[in-house]
Amino acid sequence: MDLLIDSLISAILLLKSLDAEVCAIVLVSLKVSSSSTLIASLIGIPAGFAIAFKEFRGKRMTITILNTLLALPTVVIGLFVYAFVSRRGIFGPLDLLYTQKAIVIGQVILIIPIVTTFTIAAISRIDERYRKSAMTLGATTLQTAGVVFREARFSIMAAVIASFGRVIAEVGISMMLGGNAKGFTRTMTTAMALEYDKGEFVLAVALGLILLTISFAVNLFFNYLQGRARA
Amino acid sequence: MLFEINNLSKVYAGRKVLDIPELRLEKGKVYGLLGPNGSGKTTLLEILSFLLPPTTGEIVYGSRKVDFSEGFLQGLRREVVMVEQQPILFTTSVYKNVEFGLGVRGVPKERRKRIIYEVLDLVGMREFAEASAHKLSGGETQRVAIARALACSPKVILLDEPTSNVDIENQIAIEGILRDINIQKGIFVIFATHNTIQATKLSDHIVFLFNGRPASSVYENIFSGLISTDDNGKKYCSIHDKLKIAVRTNKTGYVKISVNPIMIKVLPARDARAGDHRLLGRVMQLIDEGDHVRALIDVGIPFSALLSQREYKHAPVMAGESVALFCPPESIEVV
């Protein structure tokens, strides 16, 4: 218990001093996670929207496969992407391995199923009357989709936030594809794992605190937006 | 002619819910689509508003045959707007809800404001312009939904049971709005209702629908019951334990019967003799419908009888009075 309390006090002092190493790790984490969340959202939201909105053969199977992919372990994704970006892989010449780009690729694969399935659920829950109302008022298919999207916006935003939470907290992909290179690909989670291996808890606890604070701030902002919309 | 319908049908899960061999709706009139629940009114309105394709058949709108492919329909939807039975408003202000149809039509911003306040005035909701649409009552929501449809300056407005979920104050207001938009704005109005009085009061023409088919008159006094046969071979429809109505039918099991209200005779209870076609009850309500007086009579279930003014003057019945209903065999149809 003393170890935890001592580590916590030291961690707070470290954060207060705005330690350069800590700041660099946090920035890399935020940059990588934001990029992968943005890319996954740009792919997953329209895909989820199209799957929910359109009737096509194999729709149920597609949703089942996406639901299955939610359980995909990060190490499997790490191995899969490694096979493509390692020197012997087909994307080997692009020199992506152990770069932030490689981490982003892996994380995008990790969260696309999350964004897509959450978007499908969000759109499917929207009352059919919104679509009919927009159509009877003369809206085009795109404008009708816009109305449905607007009504589902908070659920879709929740999908994006859940995805961000997933990538900022994952360690497998960052470690396998990023390599935990200091100042380049060291993220909060890979740094925490390293410090734990070294038996140095102070930095690990400090980073843990930052990670939780970031998650809390993001959710607080989301709740604020929801509250404003309902006011 | 605004709408010409030929051999129209709509099938859901193998069940034909609409089957209209022919229907013509003239321009400029107010049409009441009258029928009980499940008679196909909503399905017909959705087809007429180009939201739902028919399974078979042809619709001619104006002089154009309607092609139910998506690209063709959008232009038609800009002329024909439907207001649902329980309309839903977008989660924004009343003003922005009404603005929606103008926005999709590319109406300039400065013109929108004038139109929005004009239609909100028409439905008596101007002071709610900035209110959140989701905080309105059922009646207010219905009025804003009508305003939202009117803002689009449609040629036709279709309303599905516009007063079924609102209080009496809003009912009166909405009925007034329907009359005004037809007379003042020349908008062709088709509304669905199961309320005979409302249909008679508001419409120039009534289209009767029953079980998805046009009917020659309204089916009223519709009851479900079990056909049974007594020792003498006479058939009865048992509505419940204490209410049996004599019927002539070859059908067995559970059936629906309709008793034509205009063929029912209402007699003072003292003048009634026992018989198969007589039911004893009490007058609950009397309504003047112009040529007729409608009597609502409780015989264990509410029964509606239409008396001509001559019949009523000859043998007036009073509210609260015990009466006997004579339902001749030809007044009862097993449907």
Side-chain angles (χ1 to χ4, degrees):
Chain A
M1 195 65 189
D2 286 349
L3 176 73
L4 193 66
I5 292 167
D6 288 346
S7 300
L8 197 64
I9 293 165
S10 304
I12 291 166
L13 291 172
L14 191 69
L15 291 176
K16 220 175 150 187
S17 68
L18 284 176
D19 180 79
E21 190 187 349
V22 174
C23 289
I25 293 169
V26 171
L27 281 176
V28 169
S29 268
L30 285 175
K31 189 179 161 193
V32 168
S33 304
S34 306
S35 305
S36 50
T37 307
L38 180 70
I39 295 167
S41 300
L42 289 175
I43 301 167
I45 293 172
F49 209 91
I51 293 168
F53 222 60
K54 293 277 175 199
E55 289 305 321
F56 58 92
R57 263 182 80 160
K59 179 172 174 168
R60 285 167 72 102
M61 184 50 80
T62 308
I63 295 171
T64 307
I65 291 169
L66 283 167
N67 284 332
T68 309
L69 291 176
L70 290 175
L72 204 59
T74 52
V75 283
V76 173
I77 297 172
L79 276 173
F80 177 76
V81 177
Y82 183 88
F84 282 89
V85 299
S86 66
R87 291 208 176 274
R88 283 178 298 165
I90 53 168
F91 298 123
L94 297 176
D95 270 340
L96 289 170
L97 190 62
Y98 303 134
T99 64
Q100 291 180 8
K101 283 178 188 163
I103 303 176
V104 171
I105 292 169
Q107 289 185 342
V108 166
I109 295 172
L110 176 70
I111 58 171
I112 277 181
I114 301 177
V115 181
T116 311
T117 50
F118 276 42
T119 303
I120 294 169
I123 300 295
S124 305
R125 272 201 301 270
I126 291 298
D127 197 314
E128 174 65 15
R129 287 175 297 167
Y130 284 116
R131 179 149 60 160
K132 276 190 187 170
S133 299
M135 281 164 66
T136 197
L137 292 168
T140 60
T141 308
L142 201 64
Q143 287 164 334
T144 304
V147 167
V148 176
F149 182 82
R150 194 181 175 281
E151 296 302 329
R153 63 194 182 281
F154 290 116
S155 303
I156 293 171
M157 207 188 287
V160 174
I161 286 167
S163 303
F164 179 78
R166 180 76 182 93
V167 287
I168 204 166
E170 74 80 27
V171 62
I173 292 168
S174 303
M175 192 68 93
M176 291 172 78
L177 301 175
N180 200 17
K182 188 178 178 183
F184 295 102
T185 56
R186 183 164 295 171
T187 64
M188 285 191 279
T189 49
T190 56
M192 282 163 76
L194 179 71
E195 295 302 307
Y196 167 78
D197 283 343
K198 283 160 49 184
E200 294 285 340
F201 290 105
V202 175
L203 185 58
V205 172
L207 291 170
L209 281 175
I210 295 171
L211 207 149
L212 283 174
T213 309
I214 290 170
S215 290
F216 182 66
V218 168
N219 281 291
L220 208 63
F221 180 65
F222 176 58
N223 277 333
Y224 166 75
L225 286 181
Q226 265 189 323
R228 267 185 55 144
R230 282 181 184 150
Chain B
M1 207 61 69
L2 194 67
F3 282 106
E4 289 180 44
I5 293 172
N6 297 309
N7 300 317
L8 186 92
S9 76
K10 183 71 191 174
V11 177
Y12 280 124
R15 196 171 75 90
K16 201 179 251 189
V17 294
L18 206 59
D19 183 13
I20 302 178
E22 190 181 273
L23 185 64
R24 303 276 182 268
L25 303 173
E26 282 177 53
K27 274 181 189 166
K29 308 270 183 176
V30 177
Y31 278 85
L33 204 53
L34 185 61
N37 292 337
S39 59
K41 302 189 294 292
T42 303
T43 307
L44 179 57
L45 287 185
E46 287 189 349
I47 292 173
L48 291 178
S49 57
F50 313 115
L51 290 173
L52 190 69
T55 307
T56 60
E58 176 191 85
I59 296 182
V60 178
Y61 170 72
S63 53
R64 288 172 289 180
K65 185 181 168 206
V66 178
D67 169 5
F68 274 85
S69 58
E70 198 53 40
F72 185 81
L73 294 176
Q74 204 216 321
L76 297 178
R77 286 194 197 122
R78 295 203 167 178
E79 295 185 5
V80 182
V81 181
M82 178 172 168
V83 179
E84 290 183 289
Q85 184 173 2
Q86 287 178 305
I88 199 159
L89 299 178
F90 307 130
T91 49
T92 180
S93 66
V94 166
Y95 185 94
K96 288 200 169 153
N97 263 277
V98 181
E99 192 181 27
F100 181 83
L102 300 169
V104 300
R105 282 165 177 76
V107 175
K109 280 255 179 194
E110 57 275 18
R111 265 191 67 205
R112 289 185 203 174
K113 192 173 179 182
R114 184 180 57 75
I115 296 169
I116 291 165
Y117 281 110
E118 189 185 309
V119 292
L120 284 175
D121 268 338
L122 191 69
V123 300
M125 292 293 289
R126 189 191 180 99
E127 67 272 32
F128 290 85
E130 297 309 320
S132 169
H134 273 211
K135 290 183 178 164
L136 301 179
S137 71
E140 288 162 352
T141 299
Q142 188 71 254
R143 283 153 74 171
V144 172
I146 294 173
R148 188 171 65 173
L150 290 175
C152 303
S153 304
K155 286 185 178 165
V156 185
I157 187 164
L158 307 163
L159 302 108
D160 190 5
E161 305 257 8
T163 60
S164 65
N165 298 307
V166 301
D167 59 20
I168 191 75
E169 184 193 343
N170 278 296
Q171 188 178 326
I172 293 165
I174 290 166
E175 287 179 355
I177 294 164
L178 295 193
R179 265 192 302 266
D180 290 349
I181 58 177
N182 179 249
I183 296 165
Q184 291 175 14
K185 293 186 169 282
I187 296 173
F188 176 53
V189 178
I190 305 175
F191 68 98
T193 182
H194 60 264
N195 183 335
T196 315
I197 301 166
Q198 188 179 60
T200 313
K201 194 166 58 177
L202 295 178
S203 53
D204 301 315
H205 291 289
I206 298 177
V207 175
F208 302 107
L209 267 187
F210 189 77
N211 276 351
R213 294 183 63 87
S216 54
S217 66
V218 66
Y219 282 100
E220 286 189 68
N221 300 319
I222 298 164
F223 309 109
S224 296
L226 181 66
I227 296 288
S228 58
T229 311
D230 71 6
D231 298 340
N232 301 320
K234 282 188 177 173
K235 288 199 167 179
Y236 294 89
C237 179
S238 302
I239 312 294
H240 60 68
D241 290 350
K242 293 176 184 168
L243 185 62
K244 275 178 166 182
I245 297 176
V247 291
R248 287 177 188 166
T249 181
N250 293 325
K251 291 186 180 173
T252 55
Y254 279 95
V255 295
K256 264 187 185 173
I257 62 164
S258 166
V259 186
N260 189 339
I262 209 148
M263 296 170 92
I264 299 173
K265 302 281 175 240
V266 182
L267 309 164
R270 61 180 181 277
D271 296 345
R273 286 166 298 175
D276 289 336
H277 302 291
R278 281 170 173 73
L279 302 169
L280 288 174
R282 209 172 124 260
V283 179
M284 295 196 296
Q285 203 177 25
L286 292 162
I287 304 155
D288 180 13
E289 289 187 13
D291 293 345
H292 292 87
V293 173
R294 182 178 293 276
L296 201 63
I297 296 152
D298 179 12
V299 293
I301 45 174
F303 241 83
S304 191
L306 273 177
L307 312 175
S308 68
Q309 289 288 3
R310 198 175 60 78
E311 278 177 305
Y312 181 70
K313 277 178 188 144
H314 184 66
V317 287
M318 311 289 278
E321 192 179 341
S322 291
V323 291
L325 301 187
F326 175 63
C327 305
E330 58 275 17
S331 71
I332 300 165
E333 191 175 343
V334 179
V335 289

